[in-house]
Amino acid sequence: MTRGASATKSRSQVKAEPREPLSKGIGQRIEQMRGRLTQQAFAKSIGISKSTLIRYEKEDRLPDAEVIARICETHRADFTWLITGKGDPFVPNPEEEECVQIPKYDIGASAGPGAFVEAAGEPELISVDLQWLRQDLHVCPAEVSMIYVRGDSMQPTIMDGDMLLVSSRVEPIRDGIYVSRYDGLLQVKRLQRQPKSLVRVTSDNPAYDSFTVNLQDEGTDFVIVGRVVWVGRKLGF
C-alpha cells in the first residue's frame, strides 16, 4: 500500500516537472524571417497590424495557426523551423531554378548634379543567384534591376562606374540610399525622411550640398524610383 502510494506520487512528480515550450524563440525567428522589411511592410504582407507583429516578435503573444500559415505561404518559411527552430528556415522548391534572370539597363543614375533620363531600350538579362536575392538581400526577384552610376557625389560609398541593384519596393521610406528622379534628372542619393512629408536628400561626398523636397507639394517633380540594396564594382588591374 505504501509502496503503491509512493510510486503514484513519483509518477505525479514526473508529470508535474515544467517543460520548456517548443515554440520558445519564435519571436526571433519571425524577426529573422522579416529580414530587412520594416515591421509595417511585413505585417501588411501577412494581413496583421504592426502592433500585433511587435507583440509576436517580443513573444508577448503567440501567433495562431492562420498567421503561421500566412508566414510560411508568403515568405516560404519552413513550418517546423518557424515553430521549433529545428531545420532550415526556407522551404526548398525543387521546381525552382537556382538562378533567375533580372534586367540590366544601360542607363546611369548620376551621383552628381543629376543626369537626364535617356531611353533605356531593351534591357540585358543577367543571371543572378536566387537564394542570394531572397535570403541575403531579402528582395523579390521580380522587383529588382541593375543600373550603373555616373559621378562622384556618393564617394566613398559609391564610386563612378559602380553597378547598383535596385529594388522597386520603396514604401515605407526609411533612411537609406535611393535612386530618384528630380525634375527629370535621375540621381542616386541618400534619403532621410523628415516630419511633415519632407525628405532630406544628401550626398556622401561633402563637396555636394544637400536639399529638402516636400512629397506633398504638387509642384515638385520628385519620384523615388527604387531603393539601392547592393553595390558592385569592377576592380582595375
Side-chain angles (χ1 to χ4, degrees):
M1 180 89 178
T2 303
R3 284 183 297 175
S6 298
T8 302
K9 184 177 180 180
S10 298
R11 286 194 296 268
S12 300
Q13 289 175 340
V14 171
K15 292 180 180 179
E17 290 179 357
R19 300 179 61 184
E20 186 175 86
L22 291 175
S23 61
K24 183 179 180 181
I26 190 172
Q28 292 180 346
R29 291 189 289 277
I30 291 175
E31 186 174 357
Q32 179 180 340
M33 187 56 54
R34 176 164 64 85
R36 296 186 180 182
L37 288 178
T38 63
Q39 289 176 323
Q40 183 67 39
F42 187 83
K44 183 178 179 180
S45 73
I46 57 175
I48 62 174
S49 66
K50 177 182 175 180
S51 60
T52 299
L53 176 62
I54 291 174
R55 295 182 66 186
Y56 289 158
E57 291 188 353
K58 291 183 177 179
E59 296 190 34
D60 293 337
R61 173 181 173 186
L62 291 177
D64 58 25
E66 177 64 23
V67 172
I68 291 173
R70 290 177 190 172
I71 295 174
C72 293
E73 176 69 21
T74 305
H75 299 278
R76 295 179 61 246
D78 179 79
F79 179 83
T80 301
W81 173 83
L82 187 59
I83 297 294
T84 67
K86 298 177 180 178
D88 296 322
F90 292 93
V91 176
N93 186 349
E95 298 179 358
E96 199 167 53
E97 299 292 336
E98 293 183 359
C99 292
V100 63
Q101 289 188 320
I102 65 171
K104 176 186 175 184
Y105 292 97
D106 189 20
I107 57 175
S110 177
F116 281 101
V117 179
E118 302 171 352
E122 289 295 324
E124 174 188 358
L125 295 179
I126 59 175
S127 294
V128 179
D129 184 82
L130 185 60
Q131 184 176 354
W132 176 64
L133 289 177
R134 284 183 166 165
Q135 298 188 20
D136 293 346
L137 301 182
H138 299 282
V139 294
C140 174
E143 298 174 344
V144 295
S145 58
M146 273 194 174
I147 61 174
Y148 64 89
V149 176
R150 293 193 297 235
D152 64 354
S153 74
M154 288 300 291
Q155 291 183 7
T157 308
I158 300 176
M159 309 295 287
D160 182 39
D162 282 355
M163 297 301 304
L164 303 181
L165 186 65
V166 182
S167 170
S168 61
R169 180 176 293 188
V170 297
E171 292 294 341
I173 301 172
R174 58 184 185 272
D175 293 359
I177 299 175
Y178 290 80
V179 175
S180 59
R181 190 181 70 247
Y182 185 41
D183 288 340
L185 305 176
L186 194 67
Q187 58 187 6
V188 53
K189 299 288 184 183
R190 192 176 296 277
L191 302 185
Q192 184 180 28
R193 192 67 180 264
Q194 304 286 307
K196 298 182 179 180
S197 299
L198 299 179
V199 172
R200 185 171 180 81
V201 184
T202 61
S203 302
D204 285 4
N205 187 338
Y208 291 81
D209 295 331
S210 61
F211 59 93
T212 302
V213 295
N214 189 338
L215 297 180
Q216 292 187 342
D217 186 354
E218 296 181 357
T220 300
D221 179 20
F222 183 84
V223 178
I224 300 175
V225 177
R227 178 173 57 90
V228 177
V229 296
W230 177 84
V231 179
R233 179 172 304 154
K234 180 186 292 186
L235 297 177
F237 295 95

